[in-house]
Amino acid sequence: MLVASGALSEQKLREALAYQRNGSLALGDALLKLGFVDEGTLARTLAKQQGMPYVDLDKGKIPPEILARVPAEVAREQGIVPLLEKGGKLVVAVDDPLKRILADQLRFMLGVDVVCALASNGALKRALARCYGESAEAAVARTMKADASADEEGDAPIVRLVTRTFHQALEARASDIHIEPGRATVRIRFRVDGMLRDVAEHPLHLHSPLISRLKIMAAMDIAERRKPQDGRIGLEIDGRAIDVRCSILPASHGETIVMRLLDRTRSLLSLADLGFDDEDYKWFRRAISRPNGIVLVTGPTGSGKTTTLYAALSELNRPDVKIITAEDPVEYHIRGINQVQVNQKIGLSFARILKAMLRAAPNIILVGEIRDLETAEIGIQAALTGHLVFSTLHTNDAASALTRLMDIGVKPFLVSASVQAVIAQRLVRRLCKECAVEYAPSAGEISALGVAPALAAGRKFKRARGCRSCEGSGYRGRIALFEMLEMDHALRELTFRGASLEEIRATATRSGNLRSLLADGGRKVLRGDTTTTEVMRVVRLAHETEF
């Protein structure tokens, strides 16, 4: 279309296509980087191709009452600018045709139908700054550039320290950064493959400017030092889009901060990549293919629950199925799925989103977490009225999910009727492929894993040794252990009667409807994926067993 309109020559198109292949860019981005077209021409042509209206945001003025329809934090976070109301619909400007999926989310938030018009990326950013003021992230980016070029001491050393810390964390494959003040020093630790390790200690006088810099980047209250605070930072490091969730807690020696890193450029795992063996894979496929009911994934924070749910949604994501999610936060954007971000500042809770999404006629619903009775009851009603509902709970094992729902106030007969399957999971470290060594296991070790002696006969286990590839730990990466509980008539009857956790667990084990974490750990040790020590550490049986 650009060539046909005379805005681009055939020769320049060939150059851009070659540049695009080398840099893994979209064609439009390649054309802009090479300077072959301007943003306005590209956006206008893209709008025509996609059948969308085009708007030049550098012209005209948007009425204040229209801007007030969308809260500033929502406009900045989603990258949208409201333009006008026409025919009972709110027209908003976006800079990417794929953002049209935001229309459904905004309809939930604003209670009005939304249509999208396309604008250029630069014009949208300028309009956001002009209409809503400069965001904290933009201000920090501007000051960081100024500081980096400044010769005076000032804030520049702190800027460099923060930048270097994020770079080091990504190079180390860290999932979290912990900054903890002590009596005389500030300790920085990374969590790598689930284990914390010390990486640096800094003088205590750096603590205050370091925390202040991070507070500004995360749009927190820089003056508040007495209360816990939460925030988010968006970064781009070495071409990778990184989302950082920050949590500050006042401690005895000063504020401690934990930052969870989420690499948005990392591809989602498929169902086959999660680590199921063949039998469990078939079981899970069957569980998520039901037309209605609740499927729960349980485990502690950081056990991979969200990854499992995203893999399940990706498997079910088809053109004939409508999927809506309520998440806090939206960790990965999946094409074809309507994802709604929880926003407590404007009263957009899990329960409120769930009520609204039921009016949008979905087939499948994901609720990021069941935290209270209201959310649980709405989710259960959805499951009983023909929807398939996925959610997470914080419980120790699969059977505990049933009693946990009753603990928060859900009636036993509703739990019995709605829950179809529960998956509990933990993450264990995966053995380094470069240096793992084989050995013959003892009878006590085989018994501790619950592996049948016949299965282990003549088999070698593997243990960690340590090499340069795994930085001496013997492990690199992680793999999930799964405990699976499938509801049957007997379990529904026990749940209906409000039976004890021990009775439910014993009945499920006898009937073969409960596949335990320990049993899955044993299979993964036999496969050479991990070690007995790792399985025992996670399943919490190490203190009970000698081997």
Side-chain angles (χ1 to χ4, degrees), residues 156-202:
I158 293 299
V159 173
R160 289 196 293 270
L161 175 59
V162 170
T163 304
R164 188 171 70 244
T165 300
F166 282 124
H167 272 282
Q168 289 173 342
L170 286 178
E171 287 171 5
R173 301 178 297 107
S175 60
D176 303 89
I177 301 171
H178 295 247
I179 299 176
E180 302 161 329
R183 286 183 178 275
T185 59
V186 180
R187 178 172 66 165
I188 296 182
R189 297 195 286 175
F190 294 165
R191 190 181 294 278
V192 180
D193 294 336
M195 308 296 282
L196 280 168
R197 61 171 71 161
D198 288 347
V199 293
E201 282 197 354
H202 300 297

Side-chain angles (χ1 to χ4, degrees), residues 263-535:
D263 187 350
R264 291 190 179 275
T265 62
R266 193 180 61 196
S267 59
L268 285 171
L269 292 181
S270 69
L271 213 54
D273 296 330
L274 288 178
F276 291 116
D277 64 19
D278 291 342
E279 187 181 347
D280 287 348
Y281 177 70
K282 290 174 185 172
W283 180 93
F284 191 54
R285 283 284 305 270
R286 189 172 71 249
I288 67 172
S289 299
R290 298 173 186 271
N292 55 59
I294 292 183
V295 177
L296 293 170
V297 181
T298 78
T301 303
S303 60
K305 300 187 295 294
T306 303
T307 301
T308 299
L309 287 174
Y310 276 149
L313 292 185
S314 298
E315 182 84 8
L316 299 171
N317 187 16
R318 303 188 305 270
D320 61 327
V321 174
K322 179 155 186 174
I323 303 174
I324 308 182
T325 74
E327 303 173 61
D328 186 18
V330 174
E331 295 192 8
Y332 293 99
H333 294 281
I334 307 174
R335 188 172 184 177
I337 293 179
N338 302 283
Q339 296 170 269
V340 185
Q341 168 80 48
V342 168
N343 190 338
Q344 299 293 352
K345 291 179 182 176
I346 59 172
L348 202 62
S349 63
F350 279 120
R352 183 173 173 188
I353 295 169
L354 197 46
K355 285 178 183 175
M357 69 169 61
L358 290 175
R359 297 194 291 271
N363 303 102
I364 298 169
I365 292 168
L366 176 123
V367 185
E369 185 183 341
I370 292 178
R371 295 177 179 172
D372 53 46
L373 177 59
E374 186 183 10
T375 306
E377 286 186 332
I378 300 169
I380 284 172
Q381 291 301 330
L384 294 175
T385 53
H387 302 87
L388 181 61
V389 180
F390 292 99
S391 192
T392 69
L393 271 177
H394 288 282
T395 64
N396 286 328
D397 56 24
S400 298
L402 303 175
T403 55
R404 172 67 181 147
L405 287 173
M406 290 184 273
D407 286 343
I408 64 176
V410 180
K411 300 289 190 297
F413 74 89
L414 289 175
V415 178
S416 169
S418 60
V419 176
Q420 299 286 0
V422 185
I423 300 153
Q425 66 182 70
R426 298 289 189 280
L427 294 177
V428 293
R429 290 182 293 171
R430 189 192 290 269
L431 274 166
C432 175
K433 294 179 180 177
E434 304 292 327
C435 64
V437 293
E438 291 187 336
Y439 70 98
S442 66
E445 186 174 349
I446 293 168
S447 173
L449 284 170
V451 176
L455 276 177
R459 299 283 291 273
K460 297 279 190 181
F461 284 11
K462 289 184 178 179
R463 65 160 60 99
R465 185 175 64 179
C467 65
R468 181 172 294 182
S469 176
C470 60
E471 298 177 351
S473 69
Y475 300 93
R476 186 173 178 84
R478 288 189 288 179
I479 189 170
L481 305 185
F482 298 99
E483 178 173 276
M484 300 183 169
L485 173 69
E486 186 171 16
M487 297 295 283
D488 63 5
H489 179 74
L491 290 175
R492 292 189 194 284
E493 182 65 28
L494 287 174
T495 306
F496 181 81
R497 290 195 284 106
S500 68
L501 175 59
E502 289 72 21
E503 192 177 352
I504 292 172
R505 190 183 290 127
T507 303
T509 303
R510 279 197 306 271
S511 64
N513 283 351
L514 181 66
R515 300 172 176 84
S516 71
L517 281 171
L518 183 61
D520 194 37
R523 287 194 293 267
K524 278 159 185 164
V525 171
L526 281 173
R527 253 173 30 191
D529 290 332
T530 189
T531 63
T532 306
T533 306
E534 273 296 288
V535 172

